[in-house]
Amino acid sequence: MSKRPLVLIIDDEHDFRVICAHVLERGGYDTAEASNGAEGLKAFAERLPDLVVLDGNLPDIDGLEVCRRLRRLPGAQKVPVLMCTVRSAVVTVSEGLEAGVTDYVLKPFEMEDLLERVSDALKKAEMK
């Protein structure tokens, strides 16, 4: 039996984390959750997930800074990071790429779209 990929969801909105985790688990993924950047960095270091769904607007650490810090952790260079943000808060793509963001998902979005983005990002990461 093969291991299910682990997706770490870092978002300060409890309801979003619950819904996202439910959809991802039904889609064949295991999930872990963190409600802010500091918790997310700790969870990443402890669990080394296969992919991160990261809110761009966290209460303690900006999402781009969380991504920069993730990229400095051992084993994090190849882990895809999907930045979830509302359209009005989107930073430039170049800022995101510099920070290590793999792709953006604009809120609100359909959960099926998220599943597709997660699947695509994991496939691309395997090819690297």
Side-chain angles (χ1 to χ4, degrees):
M1 180 179 229
S2 65
K3 172 182 149 309
R4 289 167 41 122
L6 176 63
V7 177
L8 173 59
I9 305 161
I10 306 172
D11 197 296
D12 61 322
E13 294 179 35
H14 177 264
D15 291 345
F16 176 81
R17 289 193 318 271
V18 170
I19 291 168
C20 192
H22 176 74
V23 169
L24 289 166
E25 287 167 6
R26 289 191 64 194
Y29 303 96
D30 286 333
T31 62
E33 300 176 30
S35 63
N36 61 48
E39 279 183 23
L41 291 165
K42 182 178 181 202
F44 187 97
E46 291 173 352
R47 309 275 313 265
L48 192 57
D50 298 291
L51 183 137
V52 177
V53 174
L54 174 62
D55 184 10
N57 188 22
L58 295 167
D60 60 342
I61 308 169
D62 173 75
L64 288 177
E65 181 58 27
V66 171
C67 190
R68 285 183 197 99
R69 292 182 190 183
L70 285 176
R71 292 297 183 215
R72 292 193 293 262
L73 294 173
Q77 289 302 313
K78 294 182 180 180
V79 176
V81 176
L82 299 181
M83 179 75 74
C84 293
T85 185
V86 293
R87 185 174 301 275
S88 63
V90 173
V91 295
T92 65
V93 173
S94 63
E95 284 179 293
L97 293 175
E98 278 181 25
V101 171
T102 305
D103 197 2
Y104 282 93
V105 182
L106 298 178
K107 292 179 181 179
F109 53 83
E110 296 294 322
M111 286 296 167
E112 292 76 23
D113 293 339
L114 177 64
L115 282 173
E116 189 172 315
R117 296 279 181 113
V118 166
S119 176
D120 288 349
L122 287 171
K123 285 177 189 170
K124 288 177 186 174
E126 286 176 8
M127 292 194 281
K128 288 184 178 179

